[in-house]
Amino acid sequence: MGRAHLEAHVACEVSAGDKRFPVYQLTLGNPDPRLPAIGFFGGIHGLERIGTQVLLYFLHSLLTRMEWDKSLHRMLQDMRLVFMPLINPGGMWQSTRCNPQGVDLMRNAPIEADSSVPFLLGGHRISSRLPWYRGIAGAEMESENQALCRVVQTELLPRSFSIAVDCHSGFGLRDRIWFPHAHSMNPIDQLADILRLEELFQQTYPNSRYLFEPQCAQYCTHGDVWDYLYLQAQQNKDSTFLPLTLEMGSWLWVKKNPRQLFSRHGMFNPLVEHRLYRVMRRHSVWLDFLMHAVCGYDKWLPKGPTRLRMQERAIARWYKP
Ligand SMILES: [Zn+2]
């Protein structure tokens, strides 16, 4: 099947107790750096299995289509796809949010919030026994994060256009699309592009239920690895890198099945099978849309005065409620 088109590399290996786990990097499509690319990331938090499942479901569907879908083959001649479906296998194996060192990989990048952050949740250096631990000040990033950064820096950032989508779960009743910043209340320069992308999605799939917002609209954090990579990308003004987080609203699954509250995985994952498949299918639509949007980015990315007007509208929408 389509596996012949898939290149697999071990981006790093991690230990948890006496077990060793590989962190895989899977690529498809044309490696030419002049072409756009999309990266799909998941399993940064070991308890949020659904993110990894959504990505594997989508990848499986792509590989199956590679056997017969000519249009998909043509598309992959014009773009690059990167998957890291399970960045924290040690955490998933031991059923913890953090990695085996007790570090929350989403609080671990060398970046400090410039606004106040919620106690503990915003990231702290008190103890690895508490959730949201950042790691030791001044230490290198954890090996999982170093691998993630290497993949983004080599596969996405050198291109004139790329999107990263990182799949999480566990926050709120609704499915959200979060974008930078997490470390600051200041709007990013790419708000216009994100507003346009949202419009494009709503026009293509009316009644879709994602709530788009900057992460800081909910809470600010220290050490967000996507902010860290976004700021690196900003050094090259000729390229656009949009890191998006898909935050699946798991509280709805709990509401429909309150027994989930008593399971450690229940707060983060759909436990009923028909709901699991519905969740995987629904988010596949979003991932597939993003892949197409990346391939045709020059057809919709706003430019010139239109872009300036959209940036103003976006600031009014997200920063001046
Ligand atoms: Zn998460």
Side-chain angles (χ1 to χ4, degrees), residues 62-124:
L62 285 180
L63 294 179
T64 308
R65 276 164 54 189
M66 292 293 284
E67 288 174 55
W68 54 267
D69 186 342
K70 274 196 205 168
S71 69
L72 181 59
H73 276 271
R74 275 197 293 273
M75 195 170 171
L76 291 181
Q77 283 165 16
D78 292 335
M79 70 181 299
R80 181 79 158 160
L81 309 185
V82 187
F83 285 82
M84 286 181 87
L86 179 48
I87 293 165
N88 179 13
M92 198 166 289
W93 182 74
Q94 61 188 23
S95 288
T96 56
R97 172 184 172 93
C98 58
N99 77 351
Q101 278 64 48
V103 175
D104 186 329
L105 298 174
M106 266 300 144
R107 303 288 185 275
N108 178 234
I111 182 169
E112 301 292 314
D114 65 15
S115 322
S116 70
V117 305
F119 179 61
L120 297 183
L121 169 69
H124 64 84

Side-chain angles (χ1 to χ4, degrees), residues 45 48 97 106 167-169 247:
H45 290 136
E48 301 167 17
R97 172 184 172 93
M106 266 300 144
C167 302
H168 289 255
S169 60
E247 186 65 53

